[in-house]
């Protein structure tokens, strides 16, 4: 079995320590950091994302795979920077103001990182203006707003309005998700995209960044 396949398979099993060792071994054997990232780590995380979408694996499995992914990327980070490998795009993500639920938001973040995007995590209880300020200052192509409470649903609409007021609405895509919202709500507030789960959110963000 090739070492890149071994990395992918151990990542899918959530074997963080082994993934870390294998990534170092692959580097020592002369594989390029980009190849290890794309054909080992990201490939494995992509499979986890698809299985999650199809209810073949659940939140705990995704979290352990994401941990393994993070351990692997930590080893690669300095080499990738040296090799000048560019992130596929930049996204800021947060749970909206008034809402402290962050498990789903963290899953979306992990999937975005798993797709090679640079993610600025604003945490929870994030005011609409902070999303917009960050997008401007950090040059993000996408803003991702998560929330789980019906009482905080409308803050997503405030993010759209704040982006309009700041004059960046045509420069940034606004994505929404979280249990109480759906496509109809997304259309109503004038956001760009609603996705039901973390893996689909990552696919959509990549598509926006490529466009
Ligand atoms: Co709270 N909570 N909670 N809670 N909590 C819910 C959401 C609730 C449905 C429980 C219930 O009553 N049945 C209910 C909301 C009811 C409503 O609004 N109609 C509720 C409530 C009422 C509250 C409090 C108000 C309770 C209280 O204090 N009286 C309080 C609010 C605090 C606040 O936020 N201000 C509160 C607090 C908490 C805890 C702190 C205890 C804890 C949160 C811990 C944490 O997040 N760190 C908690 C939890 C764990 C839950 C439940 C049990 C689980 C939520 C969860 O993490 N699900 C939840 C009940 C339930 O859902 N069964 C509940 C797993 C997670 C992976 O799913 O976040 O939906 P989810 O993410 C999904 C998708 O939605 C999507 O991707 C993920 C999967 O792929 N997704 C996106 C998420 N964000 C996305 C963004 C995207 C795209 C997709 O694009 C940008």
């Amino acid at each position: 079995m090739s070492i890149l396949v071994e990395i992918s398979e151990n990542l899918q099993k959530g074997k963080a320590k082994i993934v870390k060792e294998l990534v170092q071994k692959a580097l020592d054997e002369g594989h390029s950091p980009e190849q290890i990232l794309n054909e080992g780590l990201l490939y494995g995380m992509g499979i986890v994302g698809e299985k999650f979408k199809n209810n073949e694996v659940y939140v705990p499995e995704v979290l352990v795979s994401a941990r393994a992914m993070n351990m692997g990327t930590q080893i690669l980070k300095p080499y990738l920077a040296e090799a000048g490998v560019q992130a596929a795009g930049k996204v800021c993500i947060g749970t909206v103001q008034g809402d402290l639920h962050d498990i789903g938001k963290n899953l979306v973040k992990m999937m975005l990182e798993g797709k090679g995007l640079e993610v600025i995590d604003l945490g929870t209880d994030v005011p609409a203006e902070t999303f917009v300020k960050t997008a401007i200052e950090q040059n993000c192509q996408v803003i991702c707003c998560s929330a789980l409470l019906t009482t905080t649903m409308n803050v997503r609409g405030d993010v759209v309005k704040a982006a309009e007021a700041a004059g960046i609405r045509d420069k940034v895509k606004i994505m929404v998700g979280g249990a109480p919202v759906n496509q109809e709500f997304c259309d109503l507030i004038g956001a760009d995209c609603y996705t039901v789960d973390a893996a689909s959110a990552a696919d959509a963000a990549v598509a926006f960044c490529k466009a």
Side-chain angles (χ1 to χ4, degrees), residues 171-183:
K171 296 187 187 75
V172 70
K173 297 293 180 191
I174 300 177
M175 292 177 47
V176 296
V181 297
N182 53 25
Q183 187 60 52

Side-chain angles (χ1 to χ4, degrees), residues 160 174-176 181-194:
V160 176
I174 300 177
M175 292 177 47
V176 296
V181 297
N182 53 25
Q183 187 60 52
E184 204 183 343
F185 179 78
C186 171
D187 297 340
L188 187 74
I189 63 168
D192 295 296
C193 175
Y194 160 77

